[in-house]
Amino acid sequence: MASGRYYRSASFGVSDDLESYLAEVRQYPLLDRDQECVLGAEMQRSFKSISDAFHTLPAHERQRLLVASGIAKFRRGTFIHMLSSLCSNVAQYALQTGKKKILKTAATMAVEFNTYEAAHTKFVVSNLRFVIMCAKRYQAPGLQFRDLIQEGNIALMTAADRFDHTRGNKFVTYANWWIKQALKRAIHDKSRVVRLPAYAQQKLPRIRDFQHGFRLERGRYPTEQEISKALHINLRLVAQIQVFLEDVLSLDEMVEQDGGGEVSRSYNIAEATVPRPDADLDRNRLREIIRDLLVKLATRKNGLRGMKVLSLRFGIGCDRQYTLEAVGELFHVSRERIRQIQSEEFKRLLVIAAEEGVDLEEFLRLS
């Protein structure tokens, strides 16, 4: 990026804190090829020292420490935050055991990690300007410039973790792919309120451009069949993508009521989903009746088991309705046996309900 003052630009959405960041990153000098080789060799040597020290630990402890650090396979290119976590876990393990050999191993890993981290940091801060340059080319509506820079910086750190100086290419050449992929992914995932699948993101601009041109030419929007035929896209896929072209409505948007006045969309949605008070009263009354029926069922021969099964299955006196499998686990029988018990006991409950003049079908409909 060219040196000199970075002027405020409306197209980049630059604010005061972003200007401060841009001024700060210009303070770090760029690395030449020889400096990159020196830093790369230093990182490689430090990682080998960490690896050699780590492998002096008992095998069963090594695996446990790797799992605790989130590392599937310990090798060159392991993310620096995982490497930091591993060194911390080894130090904690050394303090717990108190063995001098393990304490020495933890100290060696800590010293070598500091060297590794210093070289890694120098790789990253010296190329922050390159991330800004890439982010300028990938700006999109709905995604702030600072967010793009953040995504690019994360990719830059990943590139520093995996850079191999022995291959002969410059670090910025290697990091370029990681940064661009991260910026494209950020645009796909975060530039819209509702995230689009990758296939829709690719075809959506083509469909939108075709619709615009078709409308200018013929004065109307094209049908799904016309879009499918013109762009050679499957008709079902066109119908799915058409949904993504619709505008996203805010629940906080104010809309007019029929009787006058304005309320938010969320108010109307809540109003439609709130149950009527009289329905709640009926439901509570019928639940009390069912509890009484279950108590009477329990007083009859072998009725206690049936009361428990039906209570669990219909969520009466419980925090939720239990599945057949869950009830079977409680009674140590199969789910099929619970289904049979439920059917038998429900028939007995219907007989008791008929004797008491209770309509169980009404309860099942309201509950």
Side-chain angles (χ1 to χ4, degrees):
M1 191 174 92
S3 61
R5 175 172 174 77
Y6 189 95
Y7 291 97
R8 185 185 299 266
S9 171
S11 61
F12 295 153
V14 180
S15 59
D16 292 338
D17 56 343
L18 184 55
E19 282 188 350
S20 300
Y21 171 77
L22 296 174
E24 182 182 354
V25 299
R26 285 197 295 270
Q27 299 175 5
Y28 301 109
L30 300 177
L31 299 175
D32 57 29
R33 185 71 184 90
D34 294 336
Q35 290 174 320
E36 290 181 354
C37 290
V38 171
L39 289 175
E42 192 171 4
M43 289 180 64
Q44 196 170 34
R45 184 202 61 77
S46 299
F47 185 86
K48 186 177 184 307
S49 299
I50 294 172
S51 178
D52 292 343
F54 179 70
H55 282 87
T56 61
L57 299 175
H60 66 283
E61 288 297 337
R62 290 203 304 268
Q63 186 60 34
R64 183 183 68 83
L65 290 167
L66 288 176
V67 172
S69 305
I71 301 175
K73 189 173 181 180
F74 186 55
R75 59 186 176 186
R76 181 78 171 88
T78 301
F79 295 134
I80 191 169
H81 67 275
M82 293 182 177
L83 201 58
S84 175
S85 178
L86 178 64
C87 293
S88 298
N89 289 333
V90 171
Q92 185 177 0
Y93 167 65
L95 292 174
Q96 290 173 353
T97 60
K99 296 180 179 180
K100 290 184 178 180
K101 184 178 179 180
I102 299 179
L103 286 169
K104 185 178 179 181
T105 298
T108 301
M109 291 179 65
V111 171
E112 294 298 337
F113 175 75
N114 289 337
T115 304
Y116 181 92
E117 186 180 32
H120 182 279
T121 302
K122 197 164 185 179
F123 259 125
V124 172
V125 299
S126 298
N127 290 277
L128 292 174
R129 280 182 281 178
F130 179 70
V131 174
I132 296 172
M133 183 181 68
C134 293
K136 288 180 184 179
R137 302 172 182 171
Y138 284 88
Q139 293 185 88
L143 190 63
Q144 293 187 3
F145 185 52
R146 70 185 69 203
D147 294 331
L148 274 178
I149 293 176
Q150 172 114 354
E151 295 292 335
N153 287 344
I154 295 173
L156 180 65
M157 295 174 66
T158 302
D161 286 324
R162 302 192 174 186
F163 177 62
D164 186 356
H165 71 286
T166 61
R167 293 182 178 271
N169 55 303
K170 292 193 66 176
F171 174 72
V172 71
T173 305
Y174 177 74
N176 182 50
W177 183 86
W178 287 96
I179 295 170
K180 289 184 177 179
Q181 290 299 313
L183 296 179
K184 291 177 182 178
R185 185 167 57 251
I187 292 172
H188 288 173
D189 294 347
K190 301 176 182 179
S191 60
R192 290 174 56 96
V193 176
V194 179
R195 181 186 177 278
L196 299 186
Y199 71 88
Q201 188 72 40
Q202 295 171 359
K203 294 181 172 57
L204 196 60
R206 292 179 56 199
I207 293 178
R208 186 183 288 112
D209 292 344
F210 176 76
Q211 286 182 329
H212 180 69
F214 190 95
R215 185 166 180 264
L216 290 177
E217 182 180 347
R218 305 193 184 184
R220 65 176 178 86
Y221 284 104
T223 63
E224 293 179 355
Q225 290 78 7
E226 290 171 333
I227 295 174
S228 175
K229 184 176 181 181
L231 300 181
H232 306 289
I233 301 176
N234 183 274
L235 182 59
R236 180 179 297 178
L237 186 58
V238 171
Q240 292 175 351
I241 297 177
Q242 284 280 75
V243 177
F244 301 130
L245 290 170
E246 299 178 0
D247 294 332
V248 178
L249 299 178
S250 172
L251 291 178
D252 295 327
E253 183 181 354
M254 304 302 291
V255 294
E256 292 185 1
Q257 288 185 305
D258 295 338
E262 292 185 344
V263 294
S264 65
R265 292 185 186 275
S266 59
Y267 175 83
N268 289 330
I269 294 174
E271 188 180 65
T273 56
V274 171
R276 293 179 292 106
D278 57 338
D280 277 341
L281 291 174
D282 290 341
R283 187 179 293 106
N284 293 333
R285 179 178 59 83
L286 287 170
R287 283 184 180 277
E288 292 176 0
I289 294 174
I290 287 296
R291 289 193 189 97
D292 294 338
L293 291 177
L294 288 174
V295 170
K296 292 180 180 179
L297 175 66
T299 60
R300 302 197 177 187
K301 185 179 179 180
N302 298 328
L304 184 59
R305 181 190 60 178
M307 182 196 73
K308 292 180 179 178
V309 170
L310 292 179
S311 297
L312 292 170
R313 286 290 292 126
F314 292 101
I316 299 173
C318 307
D319 56 344
R320 60 186 174 87
Q321 293 185 356
Y322 285 74
T323 62
L324 290 171
E325 186 174 358
V327 178
E329 291 178 357
L330 293 175
F331 284 87
H332 305 290
V333 295
S334 66
R335 65 187 304 275
E336 177 58 25
R337 180 58 185 146
I338 293 297
R339 189 194 64 77
Q340 294 172 0
I341 294 173
Q342 174 184 312
S343 178
E344 294 169 1
E345 299 301 329
F346 192 73
K347 290 178 182 178
R348 296 178 64 186
L349 192 66
L350 286 174
V351 173
I352 298 174
E355 295 173 356
E356 300 292 331
V358 178
D359 186 1
L360 277 184
E361 292 184 0
E362 182 183 1
F363 169 74
L364 294 175
R365 184 174 63 254
L366 290 176
S367 61

